[in-house]
Each structure stands twice: as structure tokens, then as C-alpha cells.
């Protein structure tokens, strides 16, 4: 829904004219390390309250004058942002970020907002599942109708954020585990906020992912004013709408009750589809109604009048001399190269090489350095960011120097990432997979993807780097949820037990996994199977959560346990699986396992 100007209306690359020297293009995400590109202006379509799409299609005299100033290389409107396009002196930060008031809220927006609030009250009180997608649909429609009324157009990046956010909400519908669900919901909120604001710079992407909170109070005020304005001019229509709704509800209740009493199958179907209403749940449902109403109004207001977080710019650091800047980084590159030379011996050599070179076992070798390599990767990204900030920017020679120093550092850091993942692989092969191990390995893998994106930005330009990093993070969270980490943990540990690589399975750990682990744990022999599934069965079979708050993983586990319930009373489980791969428990003689 970005309302960015077309390529033909963009101003020259440098407002100072063609004679102004161009700054060097930094490598490794270089030229956009914190500020948007100078040849990518913000929207200049000023919207007024009550404006229609037909009104916004024709530029006003002020807009036409602003466009002429831009083509002449002069500062444009306050929407213009980035280097070389300062706002007018009498415009403060608020004037550059805040848009004009949105047009009067439309009936379609009000209807979508009300539908979001009602569905939130009805479906969100029993847990998370497909109900999040049900609630997100009318909220998305409210934002779409509001943006359409304000004259905004759907853009590729807006569609990317929106589709990604809705895809992430599929994770709660598929997985029972709470930790990937939490990551997916938070990421979906961030992508939805980015879809509404259309941010593209580093400050814009970072702040814009939380920018929806800024629209909560303005959205409520906007909704109240719209309702008052429309109710005052069309009370007869409102009265007819209320009467029609009341009659429809009465007919549904009367005939639904009659049909339910006439047929038991229909009554069961109706009770399973409709949420239960109780007096005790009234305050909680009222709160959910208010939250749904406020959230939908905030989304619609942000879609109609988004805050331009891209207007927040970060001043580049003072350029350093070539020797002062390059010498510390060259030394760091040499250190990385020396470390990696030794790592390559064990990275591809297998266990025998590990033992011959280091004298350490799998667990000792992996535990000795994984966390240090993870921190080394994070600190290297920080070093790259600071180096770009203070990089020399005098001309082509400086650009070449920056690329030749930071490029190898990115490549060497990728080898460090591979070494860290290899260490974790050795440890998992020895003692199995856990939630912490799979989480930190996924984090390290994503850092490697970020480094690849930085290298690509150094070659092809960094205009899309902030958004590409955000997309990679969201894609990683989505993939993490779809692979079912709890199911993967159970599968890996059960496979090790079946292959004889482990003489027992850590029942104390696997019994606390979610229902996603049931298909894998169901393959265990007795008594390990019953001991591992006893606690999960108590949660699944005695849970009366309605269909809209039940995940596919939980429904599948319930089906399995109904066909093959656990055996015994669990009195002998304390002797089963005293060795295994749980967090904080290691089956060899070392005692404490930091993974």
C-alpha cells in the first residue's frame, strides 16, 4: 500500500547537480547502511481529510510546484527524505513524519472493524489456533478499505509483508508447541505493521515493525469522529441497520434452537461450531472485544495515514583515513584466516580428525567453542556496521579499498558460521536434539543468511538490504514453525534409540514436549512409550478446547492416543530413561551440559 512516486517523477540523484562528487559505494551492504538512497524519495501525494481517490489523482498547484523544484534539484516537500533532500526550515521532525489527517472513515471500514471486534470476543478466549487467521481477515479488509479511500495503491513490497504476515499466522493453526507459535505471532505483527507503513530504510524497518502501536490512540479518535459524523447525517439508515440485524439474530436463535432440539446430530454440529457463552467469561470477552476494536482501528488508521518512519535518518560517521580505517580490519582478517585454517582440518575430517588433532571427544569439542563462535559472528556483524559508518568516502579508490577489506571479512565469517554449525552437529549426533540446541543452531544459520545478503548488497547495491534482512528473519521464523521443532526433536531422539546409538531415551525431557511430538514418540517400545506419552495424553484427551483453538498437531495427537492409549499407572517410569539428551543433563561423566 505504498504511495511512492513513479520512476519518471523521481528527482536527480544529487540535489547539488551533476558536478557534485558522488560518495563511494560501500561494500557488504554498503551504500545503505542506515539511510535511504538519495534517488528514492518518499511520497509527495499530500492527502487532505475527506479526499477521494479522484481528488488525489490530480496534483494540486502546490504539488506541481513541488515537483518542479525537485526536477530542478531543489528540496521538495516535507515528505522528501534522505540525504540531499532536507525539509523546510519551519518543518520540525513531527511535520516530516506525520501525514495529513485521513479521510472520514467509510462504512466498509467501520463494518470490518466491528467484525474484527466481534470475532475477537467470540473466538480468541479459548486459545490460539485457526482463530487468529479468522480474526486477521476482517482486520486486513479494514486496512485495505481505509488505504483505498485515502488513495494509496498496492505495491509489491506491501503485498509481500501482508502475505508473509498471514502465512505466519498458519503456524498456530498447525503446531501445538507454544514457543514457535509465540515467535510466529510476534513476527506476523511486525510484518503487518511494515505492510501498513511501507518502510524501506534501516530506521524505517526497525521502528516501522512496531509502528502500529503509534496508531492506537489516533485510530480510536478517528473512529469515534467518523461514527459521530456519519450517525448525525444518516440516523434513519443506522436505525434500519440495527433493526435488520436484530431481526436476523432473533430468527437465527429461534430456528436454530428448534432444529437443534429436533436432531441430535445437528445439535452436536452446532455446538461444535459455535463458541460457548457464559457469564463468567463476560469480562474476558469484553476485553477481547475492546482489543480487537482498537487493533483494527489502529491498522485502518495506519493504512490511511501512515507515519513516515523513513524520515528518521542516521547521520553518517566522520570518514577516517585509509590507513587508520583499514589497518585494524586487515589484522582482524588475518586472525580470522589463521583460525579458519586450523578449523578446516576438523570441519571436514570427521570424528577421527577431531580426536587426533584436539584430543577431545565430540561433546568436549562442541561444548568448547560453539557459544564463542556464535558471539564471534554477532560481533563481526557489529564490526561491519561500524566500519561502514566510518569508512573513507573520497572516491573510487576508497570504494575499492572498503570492498577489498570488508568482503573477505564477510566470507571468513561465513566459514566461522559453518564451523559453529559443524560443532553443534557433532554434539547432536552424540547426545540428541533439544529445544535449546535446535534454537541456537537456527539462529546461527540465519546469521549466515544475513552475511550472504550483505555480500550480495556489496555487489548489487544495498537499496533492498533492510527489507531483505526482515524478509529473511520472517521466512526463518515461518520455516522454524512449519518443520515442527518439537516433532523434529522427538523424531531425532527416537531414531537414535532405534538405531542403537543411545541405550535409553531421556523420558524426563521428552515427556514435556508438546503434542507435536506424539507421532514420533508413539514408535517407542513399552514401557518407554507409555512413560513418554502419559503427561501429553492427560493434556490432550482431557482438553475440551473448541475446533477454532485446536491446532492440527493437537488433533493428530488426540487421534493417535484415542486408538492406542498409554498403559499402566506410571509407577515404574522413574526407572525408565534415566540417561538422555535433556537440557542440563548429559549422560557421560561431565555432569552439566550448557546446551
Amino acid at each position: 500500500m505504498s504511495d511512492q512516486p513513479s520512476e519518471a517523477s523521481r528527482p536527480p540523484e544529487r540535489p547539488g547537480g551533476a558536478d557534485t562528487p558522488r560518495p563511494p559505494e560501500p561494500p557488504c551492504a554498503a551504500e545503505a547502511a542506515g539511510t535511504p538512497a538519495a534517488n528514492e524519495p518518499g511520497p509527495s501525494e499530500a492527502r487532505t481529510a475527506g479526499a477521494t481517490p479522484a481528488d488525489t489523482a490530480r496534483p494540486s498547484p502546490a504539488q506541481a510546484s513541488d515537483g518542479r523544484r525537485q526536477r530542478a534539484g531543489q528540496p521538495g516537500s516535507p515528505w522528501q527524505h534522505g540525504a540531499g533532500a532536507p525539509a523546510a526550515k519551519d518543518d520540525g521532525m513531527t511535520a516530516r513524519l506525520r501525514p495529513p489527517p485521513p479521510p472520514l472513515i467509510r462504512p466498509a471500514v467501520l463494518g470490518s472493524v466491528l467484525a474484527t471486534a466481534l470475532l475477537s470476543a467470540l473466538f480468541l478466549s479459548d486459545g490460539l489456533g485457526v482463530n487468529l487467521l479468522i480474526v486477521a481477515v476482517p482486520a486486513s479488509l479494514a486496512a485495505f478499505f481505509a488505504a483505498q479511500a485515502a488513495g494509496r495503491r498496492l505495491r509489491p513490497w506491501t503485498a509481500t509483508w501482508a502475505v508473509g504476515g498471514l502465512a505466519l499466522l498458519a503456524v498456530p493453526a498447525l503446531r501445538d508447541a507454544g514457543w514457535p507459535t509465540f515467535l510466529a505471532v510476534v513476527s506476523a505483527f511486525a510484518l503487518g505493521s511494515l505492510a501498513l507503513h511501507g518502510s524501506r530504510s534501516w530506521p524505517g524497518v526497525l521502528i516501522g515493525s512496531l509502528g502500529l502501536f503509534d496508531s492506537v490512540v489516533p485510530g480510536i479518535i478517528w473512529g469515534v469522529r467518523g461514527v459521530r459524523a456519519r450517525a448525525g447525517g444518516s440516523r434513519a439508515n443506522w436505525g434500519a441497520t440495527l433493526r435488520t440485524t436484530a431481526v436476523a439474530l432473533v430468527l437465527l436463535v429461534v430456528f436454530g434452537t428448534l432444529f437443534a432440539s429436533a436432531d441430535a446430530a445437528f445439535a452436536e454440529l452446532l455446538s461444535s461450531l459455535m463458541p460457548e457463552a457464559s457469564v463468567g467469561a463476560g469480562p474476558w470477552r469484553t476485553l477481547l472485544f475492546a482489543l480487537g476494536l482498537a487493533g483494527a482501528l489502529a491498522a485502518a488508521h495506519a493504512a490511511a495515514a501512515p507515519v513516515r518512519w523513513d524520515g528518521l535518518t542516521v547521520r553518517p560517521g566522520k570518514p577516517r583515513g585509509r590507513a587508520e580505517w583499514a589497518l585494524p580490519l586487515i589484522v582482524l582478517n588475518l586472525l580470522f584466516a589463521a583460525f579458519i585454517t586450523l578449523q578446516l582440518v576438523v570441519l571436514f575430517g570427521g570424528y577421527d580428525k577431531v580426536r587426533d588433532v584436539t584430543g577431545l571427544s565430540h561433546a568436549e569439542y562442541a561444548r568448547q567453542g560453539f557459544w564463542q563462535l556464535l558471539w564471534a559472528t554477532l560481533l563481526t556483524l557489529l564490526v561491519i556496521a561500524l566500519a561502514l559508518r566510518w569508512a573513507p568516502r573520497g572516491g573510487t579508490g576508497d570504494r575499492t579499498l572498503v570492498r577489498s577489506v570488508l568482503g573477505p571479512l564477510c566470507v571468513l565469517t561465513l566459514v566461522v558460521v559453518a564451523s559453529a554449525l559443524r560443532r553443534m552437529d557433532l554434539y547432536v549426533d552424540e547426545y540428541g536434539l533439544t529445544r535449546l540446541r535446535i534454537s541456537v543452531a537456527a539462529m546461527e544459520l540465519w546469521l549466515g543468511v544475513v552475511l550472504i545478503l550483505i555480500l550480495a548488497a556489496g555487489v548489487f547495491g544495498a537499496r533492498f538490504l533492510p527489507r531483505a534482512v526482515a524478509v529473511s528473519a520472517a521466512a526463518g521464523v515461518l520455516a522454524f514453525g512449519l518443520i515442527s521443532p518439537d516433532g523434529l526433536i522427538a523424531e531425532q531422539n527416537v531414531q537414535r534409540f532405534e538405531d542403537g546409538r543411545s541405550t535409553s531415551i531421556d523420558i524426563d525431557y521428552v515427556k514435556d514436549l508438546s503434542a507435536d511430538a506424539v507421532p514420533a514418540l508413539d514408535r517407542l517400545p513399552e514401557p518407554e512409550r507409555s512413560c513418554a506419552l502419559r503427561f501429553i495424553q492427560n493434556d490432550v484427551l482431557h482438553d475440551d478446547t473448541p475446533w477454532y483453538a485446536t491446532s492440527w498437531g493437537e488433533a493428530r495427537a488426540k487421534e493417535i492416543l484415542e486408538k492406542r492409549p498409554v498403559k499402566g499407572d506410571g509407577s515404574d517410569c522413574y526407572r525408565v530413561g534415566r540417561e538422555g539428551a535433556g537440557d542440563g543433563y548429559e549422560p557421560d561423566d561431565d555432569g552439566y551440559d550448557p546446551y
Side-chain angles (χ1 to χ4, degrees):
M1 296 178 186
S2 174
D3 47 359
Q4 302 299 326
S6 63
E7 294 288 342
S9 63
R10 291 185 177 172
E13 190 169 330
R14 294 281 297 172
D19 296 332
T20 304
R22 295 179 58 190
E25 299 178 2
C28 294
E31 55 265 44
T35 59
N39 61 346
E40 188 179 345
S44 57
E45 301 173 4
R47 297 186 299 272
T48 57
T52 64
D55 298 328
T56 58
R58 180 180 303 169
S60 64
Q63 289 173 321
S65 175
D66 178 59
R68 287 191 296 269
R69 287 196 304 270
Q70 291 180 0
R71 288 190 293 271
Q74 297 174 3
S77 70
W79 290 110
Q80 185 81 15
H81 63 273
K89 292 183 179 179
D90 56 342
D91 288 328
M93 179 65 70
T94 302
R96 291 194 294 112
L97 299 180
R98 296 291 176 182
L104 187 67
I105 190 169
R106 289 189 169 184
V109 178
L110 287 174
S112 300
V113 168
L114 183 59
T116 304
L118 288 174
L119 292 175
S120 299
L122 290 175
F123 292 124
L124 293 184
S125 61
D126 298 299
L128 299 182
V130 73
N131 48 9
L132 279 178
L133 276 172
I134 295 175
V135 172
V137 170
S140 302
L141 289 176
F144 175 77
F145 292 141
Q148 192 178 49
R152 298 183 70 189
R153 292 179 295 171
L154 185 64
R155 298 286 184 175
W157 273 107
T158 302
T160 300
W161 301 130
V163 172
L166 292 176
L168 283 164
L169 292 182
V171 173
L174 297 174
R175 304 303 173 209
D176 180 58
W179 52 304
T181 294
F182 173 78
L183 292 175
V185 171
V186 171
S187 301
F189 175 87
L191 262 63
S193 185
L194 287 174
L196 297 172
H197 292 88
S199 303
R200 63 180 180 271
S201 65
W202 281 112
V205 169
L206 293 175
I207 302 177
S209 61
L210 301 174
L212 194 58
F213 289 112
D214 185 75
S215 299
V216 173
V217 174
I220 295 175
I221 297 174
W222 178 55
V224 171
R225 289 176 178 174
V227 170
R228 286 180 179 176
R230 295 193 178 279
S234 56
R235 293 184 178 181
N237 293 336
W238 281 100
T241 302
L242 291 176
R243 288 192 300 270
T244 302
T245 304
V247 171
L249 287 176
V250 170
L251 292 176
L252 285 175
V253 171
V254 171
F255 284 93
T257 303
L258 289 175
F259 291 148
S261 61
D263 188 275
F266 182 79
E268 184 179 356
L269 175 64
L270 196 63
S271 62
S272 63
L273 293 178
M274 296 299 295
E276 297 182 2
S278 61
V279 177
W284 175 233
R285 293 186 184 273
T286 302
L287 176 61
L288 290 174
F289 179 90
L291 291 175
L293 187 71
L297 283 172
H301 185 273
V307 180
R308 299 298 177 184
W309 298 112
D310 283 337
L312 296 172
T313 58
V314 180
R315 293 182 178 180
K318 181 181 179 181
R320 306 295 180 181
R322 293 185 180 183
E324 179 185 2
W325 179 87
L327 184 59
L329 295 174
I330 292 174
V331 172
L332 182 62
N333 277 340
L334 294 175
L335 177 63
F336 268 68
F339 175 77
I340 288 170
T341 300
L342 295 177
Q343 290 294 296
L344 291 176
V345 176
V346 294
L347 187 61
F348 303 107
Y351 175 66
D352 293 335
K353 280 292 184 182
V354 172
R355 185 175 53 191
D356 294 342
V357 174
T358 66
L360 302 175
S361 67
H362 280 180
E364 293 169 335
Y365 176 74
R367 183 170 59 243
Q368 186 187 57
F370 176 81
W371 288 106
Q372 290 88 335
L373 295 182
L374 178 63
W375 278 107
T377 306
L378 291 170
L379 290 176
T380 302
L381 291 174
L382 178 61
V383 168
I384 292 172
L386 295 177
L388 290 172
R389 179 174 175 79
W390 291 312
R393 297 185 287 271
T396 305
D398 288 337
R399 290 197 300 271
T400 303
L401 174 66
V402 171
R403 291 174 184 270
S404 61
V405 172
L406 293 186
L409 181 59
C410 294
V411 175
L412 292 172
T413 308
L414 278 175
V415 182
V416 171
V417 170
S419 177
L421 292 174
R422 174 59 175 165
R423 288 171 182 262
M424 180 55 69
D425 180 65
L426 289 172
Y427 197 81
V428 169
D429 183 68
E430 187 76 15
Y431 296 124
L433 199 60
T434 65
R435 287 175 171 176
L436 182 58
R437 292 167 198 166
I438 193 173
S439 299
V440 295
M443 178 67 178
E444 184 74 18
L445 186 62
W446 175 70
L447 292 176
V449 173
V450 172
L451 284 166
I452 293 175
L453 291 175
I454 291 174
L455 282 170
V459 176
F460 302 107
R463 178 184 177 186
F464 296 115
L465 182 64
R467 290 178 288 191
V469 171
V471 166
S472 69
V477 172
L478 178 61
F480 190 71
L482 293 181
I483 65 172
S484 181
D486 275 11
L488 191 62
I489 291 168
E491 176 67 30
Q492 200 269 354
N493 284 280
V494 170
Q495 189 64 46
R496 293 179 65 254
F497 181 72
E498 291 176 341
D499 295 344
R501 287 180 290 164
S502 176
T503 58
S504 62
I505 190 166
D506 188 358
I507 300 297
D508 288 338
Y509 184 78
V510 299
K511 69 181 178 61
D512 292 327
L513 296 175
S514 66
D516 299 329
V518 169
L521 297 178
D522 185 55
R523 305 204 317 260
L524 288 171
E526 294 292 351
E528 283 84 358
R529 177 187 178 275
S530 294
C531 292
L533 293 176
R534 185 172 306 280
F535 286 95
I536 302 176
Q537 177 176 282
N538 292 336
D539 293 336
V540 170
L541 296 186
H542 298 89
D543 190 6
D544 56 352
T545 303
W547 65 272
Y548 50 81
T550 302
S551 67
W552 177 71
E554 189 175 2
R556 183 178 56 171
K558 185 175 183 180
E559 181 182 358
I560 293 174
L561 292 173
E562 285 177 342
K563 292 180 179 179
R564 293 185 58 200
V566 300
K567 301 177 181 179
D569 58 359
S571 58
D572 58 341
C573 288
Y574 75 96
R575 294 184 178 181
V576 178
R578 306 314 299 172
E579 297 179 353
D583 288 328
Y585 186 88
E586 183 174 329
D588 64 1
D589 56 357
D590 277 1
Y592 178 67
D593 172 14
Y595 300 138

